[in-house]
Structure formats: structure tokens, C-alpha cells
Amino acid sequence: MSSSAGSGHQPSQSRAIPTRTVPISDAAQLPHDYCTTPGGTLFSTTPGGTRIIYDRKFLLDRRNSPMAQTPPCHLPNIPGVTSPGTLIEDSKVEVNNLNNLNNHDRKHAIGDDAQFEMDI
Amino acid sequence: MATASPAGEAKGGIRKWEKEKREEEEEEEEAAVGAWAGEEAASSPWALRAPRKKAQDEDPVEVKLELHPLRNRWALWFFKNDRSRAWQDNLHLVTKFDTVEDFWAMYSHIQLASKLSSGCDYALFKDGIEPMWEDPRNKRGGRWLVSLAKQQRHSELDRLWLETLLCLIGESFEEHSREVCGAVVNIRTKGDKIAVWTREAENQAGVLHIGRVYKERLGLSTKTVIGYQAHADTATKSNSLAKNKFVV
């Protein structure tokens, strides 16, 4: 690229934005400083900030990762949702519980203390 | 997925987590991990963190990839119908997450939608948006509504709800993803419903794009028609009578 005007000042040169193509066959090969969408679009920073898009297949693949198996911390105890519980109608659970005192200890061990306070 | 055992594990996991956090304050991280070596450590979050830290020196790329950040932080809500209490008192925040892995951890440790009792809902919303019409980011919006037949609870509901969740956290609607507020699944005796909520009912281009992509992702046949209703219309009429502002 040269200036045909030939004057003393140099016009700014236009240049392609440097890019590199990284063939990726597995999520583990992705560079850490990219927002990644294997199988989809690879976005880095966009004007509105960083957009992260994951396609369906990638999301499903991550289901088996070790990190995905770890129970979330600070999950509240909601019987029938985050803990076993015959649930969800409290009155039935309580009546049931009173009629099955033999089960009390076992249930107490796995369940929510508060839920069984009424038995005491 | 059976809830009984994962939920039991979850409780153990929480206790371990808390104990380890206390230890972290007093000791070196590695020492704390050492204390949990053995069988229990295999399922502990710190057990995974220790090798990661070590590996970081050798291969920083692979290490950081274990967690994949989401564009948004999301909050999962659970609603339980108890008429003796105010509507808002029945709404419980279950958890928030902002990585792909934390999403799955959450999903694997809560009850499937199809196993909830009638009258219950799950709602997944962007952090900061409450799952109700009244929220400022919802009140001008509306929802794409998918109504299921009774028998679909067993055959379709969990698949469709998971697909909905993946559409949201994966930001599947291109630039219109920012229009999405959240999604709700209603478990109802007369027929379950799944809806994607968007923030501006008048944004025709955004609403239609989201509707088209969503319908395709759910794998609904071209003959099936889903409708978009403005919350303002739904609020003043009973659900079944609310008119569709758009259909795809």
C-alpha cells in the first residue's frame, strides 16, 4: 500500500485485523481467553460487552463433567425439590409422619429437621 | 432422575463445604484439602479444586476451562401453591448460578418438573428480575406460551423444560437474547404450561425471532401454533381468554 499523492505525510495504512484460525475438536482445546461456543459461533468481545453463546450440544456435553456433578453449595432445604419429601401438601406429610413413628428416625436422618419438629 | 439419593448427597455436600470454608480461613488451602483426602474428598468441591490449582502451573488453558461462564447469572425459583399464604410468601429462591457446570449441578440435584405437585412452578430468571409481572423488567413484556396436554407431563414435559432452560442459559436468540427475562413451568392438573418471558411486548422483531427459534428448538411440528401474550392482557383476563399478540 502506498500513497500516490507522494507528499511528505503518510496516510494511515489499512490492514486486516490479525486473526488466527484454531481448529478445535474438543472443548479442552479451547483457548482460555475466548468466550466459547464450540459447534457454534466463537465470540470474543463485542461492543456491548462480552457475549457468551453456547449451543445445545456443548451444554449437554458438559453435563458429565466432574464440576457438574458436585452438589451446589447453600442449596436451601425445600422438601420435594432439593430434598426427598413425600411432600408437598404439608398436612399430609405431617399426618403421615405421626402415623409412622417407626420411620421417624430414618426420615430424620436424611431430611429436614424443621419439618419434623411437630412430632416432638 | 430420582431425587432421594442426590438430595441426600446434597446435604452432605453442604456440610462439607461449610466445614471446609471454616478451615480455609485458618489454614493453607492445600492443608484443608489434605484433611479431606480419601473417599469423602472425591465428591467434595475442594477435592477438585486442589488438582486444578496444581495443574494451573503446567497447563493454564485446560485448568480454566473446567468452568464455563454464562453470559448472565440466573436464579431458579420454586413456587408452591399454598392458599393460606400470600402469593409472594410461596415463592422460594432455590439457587443462583453463572456457569454451565453450576447449572448442571443445580439441575441434577433438584426434582424434575414432572415430579412436582400440581400447583407448583419452577421459574428461571435473570438475576435481578423477579418472576412476576410486577417486576419493572417484566411489566411491559409478555410470554410465549406452550400449553401441554395432560398426558404430555410424562412423555414431554421434562424434555421441553430442559430445552427451554438450555435456550436461556446458552443465549440462543442472538442479539434478542437480551429481551429474554426468564421462563416458567406451571404444573397444573388441567394441563402443564411452559412459557418464555420477554421484556417488551411491543418489540415485534425481537418477540417473533425468539418465538421462531424457541418453537424450532422445542421440536414442535409446523402445524403446532404457539402464541405470545402481553402480561398486561393476561393480567386483566383469565389465562385462556388472553388474546395472542403474535403467533408462530
Side-chain angles (χ1 to χ4, degrees):
Chain A
M1 263 163 274
S2 63
S3 163
S4 56
S7 64
H9 70 83
Q10 288 272 322
S12 59
Q13 295 184 341
S14 75
R15 241 187 247 168
I17 296 168
T19 58
R20 62 187 175 125
T21 305
V22 186
I24 284 165
S25 60
D26 185 89
Q29 298 168 347
L30 277 162
H32 65 88
D33 52 353
Y34 279 84
C35 305
T36 59
T37 53
T41 320
L42 188 68
F43 277 86
S44 60
T45 306
T46 55
T50 305
R51 276 174 61 197
I52 307 172
I53 297 176
Y54 293 110
D55 71 11
R56 181 177 189 280
K57 183 179 177 303
F58 179 80
L59 291 172
L60 288 169
D61 284 349
R62 297 307 298 164
R63 187 174 191 168
N64 297 318
S65 80
M67 296 304 292
Q69 312 295 316
T70 311
C73 58
H74 309 308
L75 209 58
N77 183 42
I78 305 174
V81 178
T82 60
S83 68
T86 357
L87 143 188
I88 256 168
E89 289 133 74
D90 280 333
S91 53
K92 275 190 190 170
V93 172
E94 281 154 16
V95 168
N96 192 35
N97 208 29
L98 286 168
N99 292 340
N100 294 287
L101 288 175
N102 289 343
N103 285 337
H104 181 266
D105 288 340
R106 184 180 57 82
K107 285 187 179 176
H108 196 85
I110 57 169
D112 168 21
D113 294 355
Q115 187 181 346
F116 301 105
E117 265 171 14
M118 290 187 74
D119 298 346
I120 297 166
Chain B
M1 239 165 296
T3 33
S5 68
E9 287 163 21
K11 241 187 143 33
I14 291 164
R15 287 197 197 105
K16 265 184 268 172
W17 181 268
E18 285 168 352
K19 175 155 193 194
E20 284 152 12
K21 266 177 78 172
R22 284 198 300 275
E23 286 178 359
E24 186 200 4
E25 286 160 16
E26 297 157 11
E27 301 174 47
E28 290 286 296
E29 185 176 301
E30 227 155 314
V33 169
W36 286 93
E39 199 185 0
E40 280 203 339
S43 60
S44 134
W46 287 106
L48 292 160
R49 207 160 288 187
R52 246 201 287 166
K53 189 165 198 235
K54 220 174 193 177
Q56 208 154 15
D57 304 329
E58 299 151 20
D59 189 353
V61 172
E62 199 172 17
V63 171
K64 288 192 183 174
L65 281 166
E66 287 183 13
L67 287 175
H68 294 81
L70 298 173
R71 169 70 182 87
N72 283 288
R73 175 182 291 250
W74 297 87
L76 183 84
W77 302 79
F78 170 68
F79 174 83
K80 173 185 164 184
N81 187 22
D82 178 350
R83 288 177 189 182
S84 67
R85 304 167 74 184
W87 187 88
Q88 261 174 289
D89 294 339
N90 285 328
L91 192 60
H92 306 278
L93 175 66
V94 179
T95 190
K96 295 182 182 184
F97 56 86
D98 58 8
T99 71
V100 179
E101 288 72 15
D102 289 335
F103 162 74
W104 285 118
M106 175 279 294
Y107 186 81
S108 305
H109 291 88
I110 61 166
Q111 186 61 279
L112 287 171
S114 64
K115 300 290 196 301
L116 296 177
S117 296
S118 282
C120 291
D121 303 337
Y122 276 138
L124 184 78
F125 274 75
K126 287 175 180 169
D127 190 19
I129 306 180
E130 296 205 296
M132 53 185 75
W133 300 330
E134 296 85 346
D135 189 282
R137 288 177 68 182
N138 287 325
K139 64 181 180 189
R140 287 185 311 278
R143 59 175 182 169
W144 281 109
L145 180 62
V146 179
S147 299
L148 304 181
K150 283 182 191 177
Q151 65 272 18
Q152 288 180 292
R153 181 177 302 176
H154 302 292
S155 58
E156 300 278 355
L157 179 69
D158 292 325
R159 179 185 72 78
L160 294 174
W161 176 238
L162 176 57
E163 200 65 48
T164 304
L165 298 175
L166 297 181
C167 283
L168 264 56
I169 66 168
E171 310 282 338
S172 299
F173 308 108
E174 297 177 30
E175 74 268 28
H176 302 297
S177 283
R178 75 171 81 93
E179 287 288 311
V180 172
C181 295
V184 181
V185 56
N186 308 119
I187 307 303
R188 300 292 182 270
T189 315
K190 59 187 177 186
D192 305 325
K193 287 180 279 186
I194 298 177
V196 171
W197 289 30
T198 73
R199 71 177 178 185
E200 180 53 70
E202 299 302 323
N203 179 349
Q204 181 170 349
V207 169
L208 284 174
H209 179 86
I210 291 166
R212 287 191 199 103
V213 171
Y214 183 50
K215 182 180 170 182
E216 192 191 327
R217 283 285 297 266
L218 293 185
L220 302 180
S221 79
T222 46
K223 281 182 285 181
T224 308
V225 173
I226 59 172
Y228 183 90
Q229 300 150 7
H231 293 319
D233 293 343
T234 314
T236 52
K237 292 161 191 164
S238 88
N239 284 358
S240 53
L241 293 175
K243 66 172 190 288
N244 287 331
K245 199 171 170 67
F246 306 108
V247 293
V248 291

